[in-house]
Amino acid sequence: MAAQLFNRIGQLGLGLAVAGSVANTALYNVDGGHRAVIFDRFTGIKNTVVGEGTHFLIPWVQKPIIFDVRSRPRNVPVITGSKDLQNVNITLRILFRPLPEQLPKIYTILGVDYDERVLPSITTEVLKAVVAQFDAGELITQRENVSRKVSETLIERAGQFGVVLDDISITHLTFGKEFTQAVELKQVAQQDAERARFLVEKAEQQKQASIISAQGDSEAASMLAKSFGDAGEGLVELRRIEAAEDIAYQLSRSRQVSYFPPGQNILLNLPAQ
């Protein structure tokens, strides 16, 4: 009796284990921000896109392929040429995601790694076409216009593969060594030209100052000549007296100069002969 009971319990446990295993293989989860495409061994890829949550499938017949439909970033570096044949190193940062309703087609044609197959090729194609329309200098001064043209063309090309581009931005833009050296030489030449213009302006100002000073001296000389003509010898005598007073004042302050009145014998201690 006890043996039969244990046998029944064992059979029931085995049945529950098999049922649990079958139920586990018949269930799958689709996390938030993801979608699933069902592959059927008999009919192939189904056109139905499965949303988030827990779903059933036929074990060993159907298999879910999970896609991330959230925006993801990707940097695509490209080396191309400008309109004036300058080498340009440019990098685009792209935020991309697949269209959920296009997932069966994307998986059938491109596979799960659709971004590796599509984005580098179309980005290179679009950048080469757009950058070739601008000179190297225009790529810097008209960067916003270049970015706009790249975005419009790239969004259109990506849409043909069922890929949505939420944001496109130019994060890196450099030129070849020759162009960089030419720009540096141009800057040096502009600085030299500015310095030369400053020196010319300074010399011109000094020239004007010299002319004004010479004109002032000429006017002063003319005024002195006129004064001499009006005053005659009186002005000269006045200047002579002023000069003599100044000399006498300086000599009076010197300790090495002695003053003796006129008419006195200064040889007082000499013996008489």
Side-chain angles (χ1 to χ4, degrees):
M1 189 72 176
Q4 292 180 354
L5 179 61
F6 282 115
N7 189 21
R8 294 285 300 275
I9 293 176
Q11 292 176 355
L12 180 60
L14 180 61
L16 290 174
V18 172
S21 177
V22 171
N24 186 45
T25 57
L27 294 175
Y28 67 96
N29 293 323
V30 179
D31 297 331
H34 294 72
R35 298 292 185 273
V37 174
I38 303 301
F39 171 74
D40 192 293
R41 296 181 185 275
F42 299 105
T43 60
I45 296 294
K46 293 183 174 295
N47 292 324
T48 303
V49 178
V50 182
E52 302 168 358
T54 301
H55 306 276
F56 292 94
L57 53 73
I58 302 174
W60 303 292
V61 176
Q62 295 178 337
K63 180 180 72 171
I65 296 97
I66 308 298
F67 282 87
D68 188 349
V69 295
R70 296 171 296 184
S71 293
R72 291 180 291 161
R74 182 184 179 92
N75 292 328
V76 183
V78 177
I79 300 177
T80 182
S82 62
K83 186 178 180 180
D84 53 352
L85 304 179
Q86 297 294 334
N87 290 328
V88 182
N89 299 319
I90 186 169
T91 300
L92 283 186
R93 184 180 184 274
I94 302 171
L95 283 178
F96 70 95
R97 58 183 173 86
L99 280 173
E101 60 271 16
Q102 295 288 332
L103 288 178
K105 179 181 176 181
I106 291 175
Y107 181 75
T108 302
I109 299 176
L110 301 172
V112 179
D113 57 343
Y114 64 94
D115 55 318
E116 293 287 346
R117 299 173 182 268
V118 172
L119 293 180
S121 60
I122 65 174
T123 302
T124 301
E125 174 191 349
V126 170
L127 280 177
K128 286 182 179 293
V130 173
V131 172
Q133 302 175 16
F134 297 89
D135 294 335
E138 294 174 344
L139 291 175
I140 299 175
T141 58
Q142 301 183 27
R143 183 165 179 167
E144 183 178 353
N145 187 25
V146 175
S147 180
R148 180 179 57 81
K149 285 191 174 185
V150 170
S151 298
E152 292 175 353
T153 309
L154 197 56
I155 289 173
E156 181 181 356
R157 290 286 288 120
Q160 299 174 2
F161 297 94
V163 180
V164 177
L165 304 182
D166 293 323
D167 182 68
I168 302 171
S169 58
I170 299 175
T171 59
H172 182 72
L173 179 64
T174 59
F175 301 93
K177 184 183 297 184
E178 295 80 6
F179 180 78
T180 304
Q181 291 177 349
V183 172
E184 292 177 352
L185 291 175
K186 182 178 179 181
Q187 291 177 347
V188 172
Q190 290 177 347
Q191 293 175 356
D192 292 341
E194 290 291 334
R195 188 179 297 108
R197 185 165 63 234
F198 171 76
L199 293 176
V200 170
E201 292 177 355
K202 182 179 179 180
E204 185 66 24
Q205 292 176 356
Q206 292 177 347
K207 178 182 176 181
Q208 293 295 330
S210 299
I211 292 174
I212 293 173
S213 177
Q215 290 176 349
D217 294 341
S218 176
E219 292 179 0
S222 299
M223 293 176 65
L224 287 174
K226 183 178 179 182
S227 299
F228 287 150
D230 295 340
E233 295 296 330
L235 183 60
V236 175
E237 188 64 25
L238 177 62
R239 293 290 185 266
R240 185 183 302 165
I241 294 172
E242 291 176 351
E245 289 180 352
D246 184 64
I247 293 172
Y249 175 75
Q250 296 296 333
L251 291 176
S252 66
R253 298 185 60 185
S254 177
R255 296 181 178 181
Q256 297 179 357
V257 177
S258 299
Y259 173 74
F260 295 96
Q264 295 185 5
N265 187 9
I266 61 175
L267 302 177
L268 297 178
N269 297 324
L270 293 178
Q273 293 182 356

Coordinates of all heavy atoms in Angstrom, one line a residue, residues 196-210:
A196 N 53.1 95.4 -39.0 CA 53.6 96.4 -39.9 C 52.7 97.6 -40.0 O 53.2 98.8 -40.1 CB 53.8 95.8 -41.3
R197 N 51.4 97.4 -40.0 CA 50.5 98.6 -40.1 C 50.6 99.4 -38.8 O 50.5 100.6 -38.9 CB 49.0 98.1 -40.3 CG 48.0 99.2 -40.4 CD 46.7 98.7 -40.9 NE 46.1 97.8 -40.0 CZ 45.6 96.6 -40.3 NH1 45.7 96.2 -41.6 NH2 45.0 95.9 -39.5
F198 N 50.8 98.8 -37.7 CA 50.9 99.5 -36.4 C 52.2 100.4 -36.5 O 52.2 101.5 -36.1 CB 51.0 98.5 -35.3 CG 51.4 99.2 -34.0 CD1 50.5 99.9 -33.2 CD2 52.7 99.0 -33.5 CE1 50.9 100.5 -32.0 CE2 53.0 99.6 -32.3 CZ 52.1 100.4 -31.6
L199 N 53.3 99.8 -37.0 CA 54.5 100.5 -37.1 C 54.4 101.7 -38.0 O 54.9 102.8 -37.8 CB 55.7 99.6 -37.5 CG 56.1 98.5 -36.5 CD1 57.1 97.6 -37.2 CD2 56.6 99.1 -35.2
V200 N 53.7 101.5 -39.1 CA 53.5 102.6 -40.1 C 52.7 103.7 -39.4 O 53.0 104.9 -39.6 CB 52.8 102.1 -41.4 CG1 52.4 103.3 -42.2 CG2 53.7 101.2 -42.1
E201 N 51.6 103.3 -38.7 CA 50.8 104.3 -38.1 C 51.6 105.1 -37.0 O 51.5 106.3 -36.8 CB 49.6 103.7 -37.4 CG 48.6 103.2 -38.5 CD 47.4 102.4 -37.8 OE1 47.4 102.3 -36.6 OE2 46.5 102.0 -38.5
K202 N 52.4 104.3 -36.3 CA 53.3 105.0 -35.2 C 54.3 105.9 -35.8 O 54.5 107.1 -35.3 CB 54.0 103.9 -34.4 CG 54.9 104.4 -33.3 CD 55.6 103.3 -32.6 CE 56.4 103.8 -31.4 NZ 57.1 102.8 -30.7
A203 N 54.9 105.5 -37.0 CA 55.8 106.4 -37.6 C 55.1 107.7 -38.2 O 55.7 108.8 -38.1 CB 56.5 105.7 -38.8
E204 N 53.9 107.5 -38.7 CA 53.1 108.6 -39.2 C 52.8 109.6 -38.0 O 52.9 110.8 -38.2 CB 51.8 108.1 -39.8 CG 51.0 109.2 -40.5 CD 51.7 109.8 -41.7 OE1 52.6 109.1 -42.3 OE2 51.4 111.0 -42.1
Q205 N 52.4 109.0 -36.9 CA 52.2 109.9 -35.7 C 53.4 110.7 -35.3 O 53.3 111.8 -34.9 CB 51.6 109.1 -34.6 CG 50.2 108.5 -34.9 CD 49.7 107.6 -33.8 OE1 50.4 107.3 -32.8 NE2 48.5 107.1 -33.9
Q206 N 54.6 110.0 -35.2 CA 55.8 110.6 -34.9 C 56.2 111.7 -35.9 O 56.6 112.8 -35.5 CB 56.9 109.6 -34.8 CG 56.8 108.6 -33.6 CD 57.9 107.6 -33.6 OE1 58.6 107.4 -34.6 NE2 58.0 106.8 -32.5
K207 N 55.9 111.5 -37.1 CA 56.1 112.5 -38.2 C 55.3 113.7 -37.9 O 55.8 114.9 -38.0 CB 55.9 111.9 -39.5 CG 56.0 112.9 -40.7 CD 55.7 112.2 -42.0 CE 55.8 113.2 -43.2 NZ 55.4 112.5 -44.5
Q208 N 54.0 113.5 -37.6 CA 53.1 114.6 -37.4 C 53.5 115.4 -36.1 O 53.5 116.6 -36.1 CB 51.7 114.1 -37.2 CG 51.0 113.5 -38.5 CD 50.8 114.6 -39.5 OE1 50.7 115.7 -39.3 NE2 50.9 114.1 -40.8
A209 N 54.0 114.6 -35.1 CA 54.5 115.3 -33.9 C 55.7 116.2 -34.2 O 55.8 117.3 -33.7 CB 54.8 114.3 -32.8
S210 N 56.6 115.6 -35.0 CA 57.8 116.4 -35.4 C 57.4 117.7 -36.1 O 58.0 118.7 -35.9 CB 58.8 115.5 -36.2 OG 59.2 114.4 -35.4

